[in-house]
Amino acid sequence: MKPIWRFLRGNGLTLAFGTGFVLALAGQAIAGHAEFNNDLIAGQLHPVSFGGYLLTSDFAVDVTENWQSEYLQFFLYIFGTVWLLQKGSPESKELHKAGLETDEEQKLGRYAKHDSPRWASAGGVRQAWYSRSLGILMCTLFVLSWLAQSVAGVAAYNEEHLRELQAPISWFQYLGAADFWNRTLQNWQSELLAVGSMAIFSVYLRQRGSPESKPVGSAHTSTGIEGG
């Protein structure tokens, strides 16, 4: 198999979703630009170019409010599934494995294999950090995208108020504003619903060949068993 095809096959999931993300973001930008200019024209203001729209707070807040909710979903799910279980779900660990598990189960320290990441056997702070690095990264991305949403959100909020000859507000005031929490909570509730639905529906329903589903013939009570 040629190297390029080997690379595409070995990274198909990331490449497919990455491509889908770029296309969806481009589509959002095009549709958002049209809507933004329609609002400007309706308010008897001059429309902006596509490049100008990409630099507006309206575009930034629309993008970041979705990013922060997605990263919150993964952060909560990664940390929550350490302790929280769902009997019969492949999204859950087996019922007797709640918690951080032993070093032997996690292949840490003297139990690390020859092909284990180097920091798995390092011990101390490095091992402690690396063993939580995925959750830490998701938490950091959530906090940064939420911060970006709040900054872009207050700018967009104040621009709208200025067009209506109303006084702008500060960033701290915006953090307590209904606009900020409406944008935030409408995304959080949808992400929590989606994760909870997946956890319980996967107990009883199957998708042949998917690692997110149990094997078709597995019992409903089988927990922590994934297909392949």
Side-chain angles (χ1 to χ4, degrees):
M1 183 181 292
K2 295 181 179 180
I4 182 63
W5 292 113
R6 189 180 300 116
F7 173 80
L8 293 174
R9 182 179 181 184
N11 297 277
L13 190 60
T14 299
L15 292 171
F17 278 88
T19 301
F21 162 73
V22 172
L23 293 175
L25 184 62
Q28 178 189 350
I30 293 170
H33 176 234
E35 181 182 14
F36 186 74
N37 277 341
N38 286 339
D39 290 340
L40 290 178
I41 293 170
Q44 298 182 334
L45 299 171
H46 292 293
V48 300
S49 66
F50 182 72
Y53 171 70
L54 296 182
L55 299 176
T56 64
S57 56
D58 286 74
F59 178 66
V61 72
D62 287 343
V63 171
T64 54
E65 74 177 55
N66 287 290
W67 288 5
Q68 58 89 7
S69 65
E70 297 296 338
Y71 285 122
L72 175 66
Q73 173 194 147
F74 285 116
F75 164 63
L76 293 178
Y77 197 69
I78 289 166
F79 272 101
T81 50
V82 174
W83 301 98
L84 302 177
L85 307 170
Q86 175 58 58
K87 183 177 180 180
S89 176
E91 300 295 315
S92 166
K93 294 194 295 186
E94 295 176 72
L95 301 182
H96 65 282
K97 290 186 176 181
L100 299 177
E101 303 180 12
T102 66
D103 285 357
E104 183 176 6
E105 290 172 316
Q106 288 290 310
K107 300 178 183 179
L108 290 174
R110 63 190 179 92
Y111 299 105
K113 305 299 183 182
H114 73 278
D115 57 351
S116 296
R118 184 172 60 182
W119 282 17
S121 58
V125 175
R126 287 184 296 172
Q127 184 191 97
W129 180 88
Y130 186 70
S131 64
R132 297 165 177 81
S133 56
L134 182 59
I136 291 171
L137 175 62
M138 292 296 114
C139 180
T140 301
L141 291 173
F142 160 66
V143 172
L144 291 176
S145 56
W146 197 20
L147 178 62
Q149 177 203 339
S150 69
V151 173
V154 70
Y157 185 82
N158 282 335
E159 285 177 8
E160 183 178 349
H161 274 219
L162 288 171
R163 286 199 294 265
E164 297 173 355
L165 303 180
Q166 298 181 26
I169 63 175
S170 69
W171 179 70
F172 285 105
Q173 289 175 313
Y174 182 69
L175 293 183
D179 181 81
F180 175 69
W181 287 105
N182 178 54
R183 286 179 176 274
T184 297
L185 294 174
Q186 68 177 322
N187 286 286
W188 287 8
Q189 56 87 13
S190 63
E191 300 302 334
L192 294 171
L193 174 65
V195 172
S197 298
M198 180 63 181
I200 190 61
F201 290 158
S202 62
V203 174
Y204 303 103
L205 304 178
R206 309 286 189 270
Q207 178 57 56
R208 183 171 181 169
S210 174
E212 299 304 313
S213 166
K214 293 184 289 189
V216 178
S218 294
H220 291 326
T221 54
S222 297
T223 306
I225 298 176
E226 297 180 342

